[in-house]
Amino acid sequence: MTRKPVHLALYDTWADWETGHATAHLALAGFEVRTATPGGRPVTSTGGLHAGPDLALEKLRPEDSSLLILPGATAWDEGGGLAPVARTARAFLDAGVPVAAICGATAGLAREGLLDDRAHTSAAAPYLAATGYAGAGRYVEADAVTDGPLVTAGPTEPVAFAREVLRLLGAYDDKAVDAWYRLFHHSDPAAYAEWTEAVSR
């Protein structure tokens, strides 16, 4: 079965460190990872990395994608410049296509009303409360949370974020994902053999 690509939305000030585990291991599992930026323009990360997109975010259709990944960025909290990105996430969720948001991207989803009725997490409950959203009662104190087609995580949990993404897309079976998480999050040496055995089957 041919897998649809995974799309990584990028925008100026995106947080380099937050989505690398997810995109790298999705690619290793056979998913094509494509980048999309507002207007199809080149963008620059927090760390000064320059990225050119595969396509303009405005041309991205949910039916052509397996998942939309939204990294954090200071731009999420600097006015409404990324509101169109949050609206793209709405289109994905309305179509039943998964969205994974980490760090500041969760605040963008909160402002769009996408966390009002879904369990979620973020950097901290007060951070999302400052958006004025109506979903505070659904906030979960956890490293990462999956509710249906939505994954959320805070900025210090890129490995847990990737764990939830890998599970959600069925990139690897549960045993492999568990070993992967213990290896990359806990530096468990025993998990290496389990991980390599699981992915070699």
Side-chain angles (χ1 to χ4, degrees):
M1 181 179 73
T2 302
R3 290 168 160 166
K4 295 179 182 179
V6 167
H7 288 91
L8 172 66
L10 296 179
Y11 19 78
D12 284 325
T13 73
W14 97 83
D16 315 56
W17 61 94
E18 291 178 345
T19 59
H21 285 285
T23 55
H25 286 90
L26 285 171
L28 290 172
F31 285 90
E32 178 187 5
V33 179
R34 305 190 74 207
T35 57
T37 67
R41 296 181 298 274
V43 292
T44 304
S45 75
T46 296
L49 299 180
H50 304 293
D54 293 305
L55 75 163
L57 191 70
E58 295 80 2
K59 294 184 178 180
L60 177 57
R61 303 185 310 165
E63 59 265 32
D64 296 331
S65 185
S66 291
L67 170 72
L68 175 64
I69 300 177
L70 305 178
T74 57
W76 282 111
D77 297 316
E78 295 174 347
L82 293 185
V85 180
R87 289 195 291 272
T88 299
R90 175 180 289 282
F92 268 63
L93 292 173
D94 286 349
V97 180
V99 172
I102 185 168
C103 188
T106 61
L109 299 191
R111 292 185 187 95
E112 184 64 19
L114 296 174
L115 304 185
D116 290 351
D117 301 310
R118 295 178 172 94
H120 59 276
T121 193
S122 183
Y127 171 65
L128 286 189
T131 68
Y133 83 131
R138 303 299 304 275
Y139 190 90
V140 181
E141 292 288 353
D143 54 8
V145 172
T146 298
D147 187 341
L150 178 66
V151 173
T152 52
T156 61
E157 297 294 346
V159 180
F161 179 70
R163 177 196 66 207
E164 296 303 300
V165 166
L166 296 175
R167 283 179 177 163
L168 183 63
L169 292 191
Y172 304 100
D173 65 30
D174 286 344
K175 182 178 180 181
V177 172
D178 177 68
W180 178 89
Y181 182 72
R182 288 190 289 112
L183 175 63
F184 284 95
H185 192 267
H186 299 297
S187 300
D188 179 356
Y192 177 75
E194 294 179 38
W195 161 244
T196 54
E197 179 184 359
V199 297
S200 65
R201 287 192 301 242

